[in-house]
Amino acid sequence: MLMSVATPTIRLLLIDENPDRAVVLAAALQGEGYTLVAQLTPGEVSAKRVQEIAPDVIIVDMESPSRDTIDSMRQINADQPRPIVMFVDESDDGMIRDAMQAGVSAYVIDGMNPKRVKPVIDVAVARFREFQALRDELKKTKATLSERKLIERAKGLLMRERQLSEDEAHAALRKLAMDRQQRLVEVAEALLAFADVLKKK
Amino acid sequence: MQTTTLTAMRIGFIALTDCAPLIVAKEKGFFERHGLDVTLQREPSWANLRDKVALGALDAAHMLAPMPLAATLGAGGWKQQQITSFALNLNGNAVTISTRLWNRLADAEPALVQDRHEAGNALRRLIAADRKAGRPQLTFATVFNYSSHQIQLRYWLASAGIDPDRDVQLVIVPPPQMTDRLALGEIDGFCVGDPWNSLAVLRGVGRILITGYEIWNNRIEKVIGTNRDWVERNPLTHKQMLMALLEAAAWLDRPENRLEGVEIMAKPDYIGPEAVEAIRLGMLGMLRYGLDVSPEQIPDFFVFGRYSANFPWRSQADWYLTEMRRWKLIDPATDIAAVADCVYRTDLYREAAAALGKPFPLIDRKPEGLHAGPWTLAQASAPIPMGADLFFDGSYVSSARPVAHADVSTAAAPTDRTIAWEDVAGRDAVGSKSSG
């Protein structure tokens, strides 16, 4: 990135309600050619605030309700510099779709060369995606753990009630799952629920 | 019932009472009955919903009536040909001001407590007094630039002689933040859809000044919007969706179903249980203007199916476009009737209604601002009972092609506010009354 010596830095405003992601994103964007001038949570966003900050580019979480506020700042009759969705100038469907899938929208002040903005968006998209992947993985790990616990409990129940060995209990659960075309954890869950009801009688 | 596979569809919505036909079509099985497997997706903002439809991440969505018009014109976003063939509801909005501002108004003009119809004029006088005293301008919020709320609020203010661009600050605030910001004094009033008005009153932070119903009786509020090319590629799916929605809207307008409708809307996936009382008040047409007054009955506060409510009247699209042009939200050179014709697709509505054996209008534009009470639309496949269509300031919109205002941007005194419309005889074989 040696080419951006002469050009002035791009002033970025970041709006994200997820504080962890905002930190990751801020660190990634705060690079050569860009300055992160402010970071707001959706509750802090107002047209006035954004005008005071006067950013060149606004990166906002798509799931943020403040998008409508930022969107409103490009009224046709407004005298002040009006932010414009970069996608209008760029009209690059692939890139918009990428950004949308990653969960990022960007607004760019009128007159800015879209080519200079593209790398900023690219970084934002990449970081959003990494963060989401990380979070999904965490969620999956947690889910797997709790599934395993359910299956263990169902096996324990079978072993106790039917005097089965662990292997036999596991085989019984698997057969039940195959017969009913359900996942192992679903059968385990159903079994535990039934046992619960029967116990209460 | 035959066991054909269902067609999958993704439809977006915003958590508001008026997306009810969409939710009911899903929850009561109307979509399924018409061969659709619909996934409903709650969106956090109108901008998001608009972008997702435009890019094909959603097949259709709950939209503000002006949104497909704005998208087709490329106003406020990138240009995307969109259409609607279905209005989800009539009415449902209100203008609410903070309790603080209400107290100031009532102190200055005690008669207002008895007769709230003077509210607009009282507000104009207060604004004039504030200006003289050098006090800061009042701030009013709506939810989106290209919204029925924005247009209604501007219309109401202008009709009272208040220039919405010069005499007040207009800002955009997400609906869930409205009541908080009103309580904090960041905004002095707003125009939004329910449940947010009722919620502000129930929380004791706001007072309803006028309902959208009173501003213009039975105006189209939300529509189902789609990309035009999606409809061209999926005509059958689109028709199935319209048929399911027609049945859901009719279901909602049977009085015995409204309370069940409230329960459905208050589920966590839709609006949420914390708003159940506010949803109930609005859905039952009970409006509390303030905490200190008992609820008033406005039976047409929400209309979902009666009065041919779901028909995308082009005469109403004409009005929206005329107002958007007046406030410079769209290009002044816009050919209003032509845009209304290509976006509000009455033809597709008729196909779906005919397939269900429901009566449908044979005309595309109806007289607006003419009827103070119930009337019957004769130009229909079978006569249709209709509701009132008056404007609060008595202005009249004929069924004819609109013409430009002499000076559209000037917020004139109420008496000068009658819109001039050129009455083109025979265009729709209605509108016999001349607008002068």
Side-chain angles (χ1 to χ4, degrees):
Chain A
M1 286 269 201
L2 288 168
M3 50 210 254
S4 60
V5 180
T7 42
T9 64
I10 297 175
R11 295 165 53 82
L12 287 174
L13 165 62
L14 175 63
I15 301 168
D16 196 340
E17 95 195 272
N18 182 330
D20 298 337
R21 185 173 53 199
V23 169
V24 173
L25 199 58
L29 289 172
Q30 184 82 25
E32 280 165 85
Y34 329 121
T35 320
L36 187 73
V37 285
Q39 211 171 308
L40 301 176
T41 61
E44 297 168 329
V45 174
S46 69
K48 207 171 127 204
R49 197 84 180 79
V50 173
Q51 267 155 23
E52 282 164 6
I53 295 164
D56 298 316
V57 178
I58 304 170
I59 304 274
V60 52
D61 171 13
M62 279 209 46
E63 297 308 311
S64 164
S66 7
R67 278 205 64 199
D68 286 339
T69 307
I70 303 159
D71 231 61
S72 72
M73 295 180 64
R74 27 186 194 131
Q75 254 192 44
I76 290 179
N77 63 346
D79 301 325
Q80 58 269 75
R82 43 198 170 105
I84 292 208
V85 179
M86 187 193 80
F87 308 150
V88 177
D89 292 12
E90 195 73 351
S91 66
D92 173 351
D93 263 17
M95 179 177 166
I96 304 165
R97 208 153 297 177
D98 269 9
M100 193 179 258
Q101 276 162 6
V104 52
S105 349
Y107 292 81
V108 178
I109 301 295
D110 202 8
M112 186 108 199
N113 181 356
K115 286 206 181 77
R116 286 203 60 207
V117 178
K118 195 175 182 315
V120 186
I121 313 291
D122 284 344
V123 172
V125 167
R127 285 297 177 271
F128 255 62
R129 203 164 269 155
E130 272 169 32
F131 190 85
Q132 241 79 296
L134 219 63
R135 201 172 50 178
D136 289 349
E137 204 172 309
L138 195 68
K139 223 195 275 173
K140 222 162 58 190
T141 313
K142 273 188 186 156
T144 316
L145 260 175
S146 69
E147 280 183 12
R148 199 164 292 165
K149 263 188 208 153
L150 276 176
I151 295 168
E152 287 306 315
R153 277 182 53 209
K155 270 201 297 193
L157 183 77
L158 281 177
M159 286 159 70
R160 256 195 333 274
E161 299 291 320
R162 292 287 179 85
Q163 270 85 47
L164 297 180
S165 71
E166 189 175 349
D167 284 349
E168 286 168 334
H170 190 77
L173 265 184
R174 285 201 50 170
K175 184 170 181 321
L176 209 56
M178 271 157 74
D179 290 349
R180 309 173 94 197
Q181 294 192 317
Q182 279 181 325
R183 292 175 56 219
L184 205 55
V185 62
E186 288 169 333
V187 175
E189 216 166 2
L191 201 70
L192 290 167
F194 276 127
D196 221 29
V197 172
L198 290 176
K199 219 184 289 170
K200 272 176 195 149
K201 273 212 161 170
Chain B
M1 186 176 276
Q2 54 185 143
T3 52
T4 46
T5 45
L6 302 175
T7 309
M9 250 196 103
R10 299 153 304 172
I11 306 181
F13 71 96
I14 300 280
L16 286 164
T17 308
D18 58 23
C19 69
L22 208 49
I23 310 296
V24 163
K26 165 92 181 174
E27 292 278 319
K28 299 299 287 182
F30 294 116
F31 280 137
E32 211 178 308
R33 188 184 300 172
H34 288 282
L36 298 177
D37 173 19
V38 170
T39 306
L40 292 176
Q41 221 168 296
R42 185 165 64 188
E43 292 296 333
S45 67
W46 292 109
N48 234 35
L49 183 136
R50 174 201 61 202
D51 293 352
K52 284 191 177 175
V53 171
L55 283 172
L58 291 170
D59 300 316
H62 169 222
M63 286 186 184
L64 296 148
M67 277 173 74
L69 298 166
T72 301
L73 291 168
W78 71 91
K79 203 168 171 152
Q80 175 74 41
Q81 295 246 323
Q82 287 184 347
I83 66 146
T84 178
S85 336
F86 193 90
L88 283 166
N89 70 304
L90 308 179
N91 314 315
N93 297 339
V95 177
T96 298
I97 59 167
S98 68
T99 310
R100 191 174 327 173
L101 178 56
W102 167 254
N103 290 337
R104 286 187 64 207
L105 275 176
D107 282 348
E109 309 198 16
L112 203 58
V113 181
Q114 301 306 321
D115 183 12
R116 56 188 170 75
H117 297 98
E118 273 298 296
N121 292 325
L123 191 63
R124 182 187 65 242
R125 291 189 281 267
L126 184 93
I127 287 171
D130 277 359
R131 189 185 298 127
K132 210 172 275 174
R135 279 191 282 266
Q137 280 191 334
L138 296 175
T139 302
F140 283 84
T142 64
V143 297
F144 195 61
N145 262 356
Y146 296 87
S147 68
S148 29
H149 318 104
Q150 170 90 208
I151 294 165
Q152 264 186 315
L153 180 64
R154 284 172 173 273
Y155 184 89
W156 178 70
L157 289 169
S159 189
I162 301 165
D163 184 332
D165 285 317
R166 269 175 236 144
D167 297 339
V168 293
Q169 300 273 348
L170 287 185
V171 297
I172 302 293
V173 169
Q177 293 174 15
M178 283 285 182
T179 54
D180 285 343
R181 294 200 184 196
L182 195 69
L184 288 171
E186 266 183 60
I187 55 175
D188 301 293
F190 55 67
C191 180
V192 292
D194 244 35
W196 305 107
N197 297 290
S198 297
L199 218 52
V201 173
L202 292 176
R203 280 188 59 191
V205 299
R207 174 140 190 144
I208 295 175
L209 274 194
I210 188 167
T211 62
Y213 177 79
E214 293 164 292
I215 294 175
W216 179 14
N217 304 159
N218 296 314
R219 170 200 48 85
I220 294 176
E221 169 54 32
K222 298 294 187 319
V223 299
I224 283 288
T226 50
N227 283 348
R228 194 165 92 171
D229 61 8
W230 182 85
V231 178
E232 278 159 6
R233 279 183 283 110
N234 304 279
L236 180 65
T237 310
H238 183 251
K239 186 171 163 186
Q240 288 168 317
M241 174 185 75
L242 296 186
M243 289 168 73
L245 288 172
L246 271 166
E247 294 202 303
W251 183 91
L252 269 163
D253 262 7
R254 282 194 280 280
E256 67 271 23
N257 293 335
R258 279 284 172 110
L259 274 178
E260 190 183 340
V262 175
E263 263 170 52
I264 294 173
M265 296 307 292
K267 287 186 180 182
D269 283 348
Y270 306 126
I271 301 182
E274 62 285 354
V276 66
E277 180 56 16
I279 300 170
R280 194 184 69 87
L281 282 174
M283 283 277 246
L284 298 185
M286 311 252 288
L287 215 66
R288 283 193 83 159
Y289 284 81
L291 263 191
D292 54 337
V293 289
S294 44
E296 278 180 47
Q297 275 289 347
I298 301 187
D300 287 344
F301 187 65
F302 272 113
V303 172
F304 291 109
R306 57 188 183 273
Y307 310 154
S308 74
N310 309 120
F311 189 73
W313 289 105
R314 289 177 181 167
S315 43
Q316 301 224 350
D318 289 343
W319 181 79
Y320 276 121
L321 287 162
T322 306
E323 287 297 307
M324 284 196 267
R325 185 175 62 184
R326 177 184 180 196
W327 303 114
K328 299 187 170 63
L329 290 163
I330 56 172
D331 188 332
T334 305
D335 181 346
I336 284 177
V339 174
D341 287 355
C342 86
V343 177
Y344 274 46
R345 291 291 296 271
T346 48
D347 53 329
L348 299 175
Y349 174 95
R350 289 193 189 103
E351 277 176 31
L356 282 174
K358 278 183 183 287
F360 51 85
L362 296 171
I363 51 173
D364 295 329
R365 288 173 167 82
K366 66 183 172 80
E368 307 286 356
L370 198 59
H371 305 94
W375 59 289
T376 302
L377 180 75
Q379 296 98 330
S381 61
I384 301 173
M386 301 289 288
D389 51 38
L390 285 190
F391 284 80
F392 83 107
D393 59 357
S395 75
Y396 170 68
V397 183
S398 83
S399 63
R401 184 179 287 268
V403 294
H405 294 237
D407 179 4
V408 291
S409 64
T410 314
T415 44
D416 306 332
R417 278 280 310 111
T418 309
I419 301 177
W421 296 83
E422 181 190 34
D423 213 341
V424 180
R427 184 182 161 92
D428 287 321
V430 287
S432 50
K433 180 180 167 184
S434 164
S435 59

